[in-house]
Structures are given as C-alpha cells and as structure tokens.
Amino acid sequence: MQIAFIGLGNMGGPMAINLHKAGHTVKAFDLSKDACAKVAAEGLAIAATAEDAVQGAEAVVSMLPASQHVEGLFLGRDGAAGLLQRIAKGALIIDSSTIAAATSQKVAKAAQAAGIAFIDAPVSGGTGGAIAGTLTFMVGGSDADLERARPLLEKMGANIFHAGAVGAGQTAKICNNMLLGILMIGTSEAIALGVANGLDPKVLSEIMRRSSGGNWALEKYNPFPGVHENAPASKNYAGGFGTDLMLKDLGLAQENAMAVKASTPLGGMARALYAMHSSSGQGGADFSSVIQCFLKR
Ligand code: NAD
C-alpha cells in the first residue's frame, strides 16, 4: 500500500520504518532535516513537502506533537491550504498524535466533507514500543475505518483497542497518560526517599517492582540512572517522552476534567510539578527526569 507518513520524531520515525519493513511504499516527511535523515538511512523515501508525501497515498499516518500541529497540517494555517485539499478522495487518515479529542473531531468532520476517512489512533508503549512494533493503539472512529486501518496498525503495534467514536481514542489516551504522569512522580518520590536513606536504587526498585508498588516505570522505564540500561534515565534523559509532551497531556486531561466537572486532584498536582520541572529548563528532557525534583544534591 502507498502510505504517507508525516512526523518522524522519537515515535513517528520508528513507526514509519516498521511500515517500510513490512513491505509498504512509505513516503515520509518531517520539518526537521535530522529526523528525515534518520529514516532515510533505513531506506525510506523522503518527500520534499507534506503535499508531495500525500500524492497518490491510500493512507496518511500523522505523528505530530500537539493539536495545533495536526489542525494546521490538515486544515491549513496562516491562509495556506491544508492537506485535506491534497489527499485523494477515499483515502484514510490515521492520526496517532496525542491531541485534544475536540481537534480530532474537527479534523474528522472536515475530512468527511472532503470524502476522506479519519480515525484518531494515539499510542502508548514509548519509544521502545515504537521500535519493537509493540505499541498499544487506542482508536476512535467507525468499525469500518478501524478495519481498514488494522493491517497497518498491526505492523506498528501489538494491541489495538476500539475506544468508541472519533475522539474516544484521545480520551482513553489522556486518562492513561494522567495515570502515567502521576505514577512516575510517585515512583520517583519513593526511590528518592530510599536513596536518601542509603538504599541502593537498583535493589529498592527490584523490591518495589515485585511488591504491591510494582508499576510500568519500575518494569521498563526506571527514572533513576543506571537501573534500566535502555531507559532514557540511563542516557542522560535523552530521547523518550519529553517533559513538555507530558505537560501537554496533563493539560488536556485537566481541560477535559473541567468540561465534565470530574475531580482529578492528583492529575492537577502532577501538571503543576511537570510545569515547574519544565521551567527549570527540563522541557526537552524525558519526563522521567522529574526525579531530579526529589533527589538530594
Ligand atoms: P517528537 O517531538 O520527537 O516528534 C514530533 C515530530 O513532528 C518532530 O520531528 C517535528 O519536527 C515534527 N513536526 C512538527 N510539525 C510538523 C509538521 N507540520 N509537518 C511535519 N513534521 C512536523 O515527538 P514524539 O515523542 O515522536 O511524539 C509525537 C506524538 O506522540 C505526541 O503527540 C506525543 O504526545 C505522542 N506520544 C509520544 C510518546 C513517547 O514516548 N515519545 C509516547 C506516546 C505518545
């Protein structure tokens, strides 16, 4: 199948490579030359513009940072036309970015009016999952559009959930990431407390991983350097999931909570902590670097 892939960052790059490895013809595009160079090194064709990438594509996958990027790309910005005017009628858009459900619904409505199908399919599983092709997809859209997307999603992920109509994938994703943001802070606090008492972070992490405090951070993404060789913490918090992206997701969760009058006190507190951490210059570092707020210097 001919696929356009837009957004080749920490997640999109490896996802596009997996589609290419599965035998699809992928035309990829990113505004960053470095991001393009990384996937070109794996043999993918790089388009000169997003418009070029979607030329003749039966499916368009997007993996962009936030709502404004997705809206700008598909609907247009600053008077420039959006990609919906360039994508072939009958094609399918799979947007895997984590954005506001309302933005997914807005883009889906405009796509539908142009005869183009749209699903929101945000992911969980981190950069490790993107590379291994074991992501979890949370899909919002019709049964028929999900079935069209499924063969592609299966090449990038191991779990595919249908959360509901367009936007429902995004809602599931922000619930998950609110929990992830909170549990990374809790895990960081606990490790920092143990270390302040002279415990070895590796030993303490293993004890908690096998006890009632066990969680995903302790399994795969320990925030303390050196505990997990492949975690961002052991690579000076490079790559991974940026603090500013977590901050964005916690902001989306709070906006959503206000709209439905839900009580999310820990989500609110977590947002404030990541905001403080970002203001201290750590916005680009992996979100697990939030442990630095708790470790004694
Ligand atoms: P990233 O910042 O590494 O990559 C985003 C890429 O989009 C960048 O390379 C940027 O140049 C490109 N881009 C921005 N606007 C563009 C445009 N108009 N046209 C083409 N390219 C454009 O981000 P990421 O970590 O890959 O995350 C992407 C999305 O996935 C975000 O919504 C994030 O919240 C979500 N997500 C990330 C992770 C993770 O672990 N990193 C996990 C799950 C979900």
Side-chain angles (χ1 to χ4, degrees):
M1 187 187 284
Q2 189 174 325
I3 302 167
F5 204 114
I6 320 275
L8 308 169
N10 290 330
M11 296 296 286
M15 290 165 72
I17 289 167
N18 281 336
L19 289 174
H20 167 75
K21 282 184 179 161
H24 294 292
T25 306
V26 182
K27 267 211 259 171
F29 175 73
D30 194 294
L31 293 173
S32 150
K33 295 241 174 321
D34 282 356
C36 290
K38 275 189 198 154
V39 307
E42 298 290 328
L44 278 79
I46 304 297
T49 61
E51 287 74 12
D52 264 9
V54 301
Q55 195 77 36
E58 300 158 79
V60 178
V61 186
S62 45
M63 193 50 165
L64 302 178
S67 299
Q68 67 270 25
H69 305 99
V70 175
E71 188 168 337
L73 180 75
F74 290 112
L75 305 187
R77 71 162 79 81
D78 305 330
L83 276 193
L84 288 186
Q85 300 199 12
R86 301 296 188 103
I87 297 171
K89 266 196 173 48
L92 169 69
I93 298 173
I94 301 172
D95 179 41
S96 283
S97 328
T98 304
I99 61 171
T103 306
S104 298
Q105 287 155 353
K106 185 174 173 185
V107 176
K109 202 171 162 198
Q112 194 184 18
I116 299 162
F118 178 100
I119 61 169
D120 51 308
V123 301
S124 174
T127 45
I131 294 166
T134 56
L135 293 169
T136 294
F137 283 93
M138 309 166 202
V139 176
S142 71
D143 288 333
D145 290 340
L146 168 55
E147 289 320 310
R148 277 182 73 189
R150 192 180 291 277
L152 301 184
L153 302 183
E154 281 174 347
K155 299 297 178 216
M156 301 182 279
N159 303 297
I160 300 164
F161 291 105
H162 192 184
V166 169
Q170 298 295 352
T171 305
K173 172 67 184 168
I174 56 157
C175 293
N176 179 74
N177 272 27
M178 185 177 80
L179 178 57
L180 172 64
I182 294 167
L183 77 80
M184 186 58 82
I185 290 171
T187 304
S188 296
E189 273 186 30
I191 293 174
L193 176 63
V195 168
N197 280 279
L199 267 62
D200 178 331
K202 267 194 184 169
V203 174
L204 173 61
S205 293
E206 186 59 8
I207 291 171
M208 296 194 295
R209 185 178 78 83
R210 305 265 203 125
S211 304
S212 41
N215 65 55
W216 183 83
L218 289 169
E219 287 289 342
K220 297 192 174 159
Y221 214 94
N222 197 292
F224 198 93
V227 177
H228 289 154
E229 203 185 312
N230 289 321
S234 301
K235 298 173 184 165
N236 205 19
Y237 300 102
F241 181 46
T243 297
D244 281 345
L245 289 178
M246 175 52 89
L247 187 54
K248 169 206 57 158
D249 291 358
L250 289 167
L252 290 172
Q254 290 306 292
E255 277 170 26
N256 185 292
M258 278 194 284
V260 298
K261 296 198 175 115
S263 170
T264 53
L266 290 184
M269 216 177 280
R271 201 207 74 82
L273 260 168
Y274 287 104
M276 269 171 50
H277 187 50
S278 174
S279 336
S280 75
Q282 300 299 315
D286 181 74
F287 80 114
S288 64
S289 61
V290 75
I291 195 171
Q292 287 163 359
C293 299
F294 310 109
L295 291 172
K296 287 193 177 174
R297 284 165 210 278

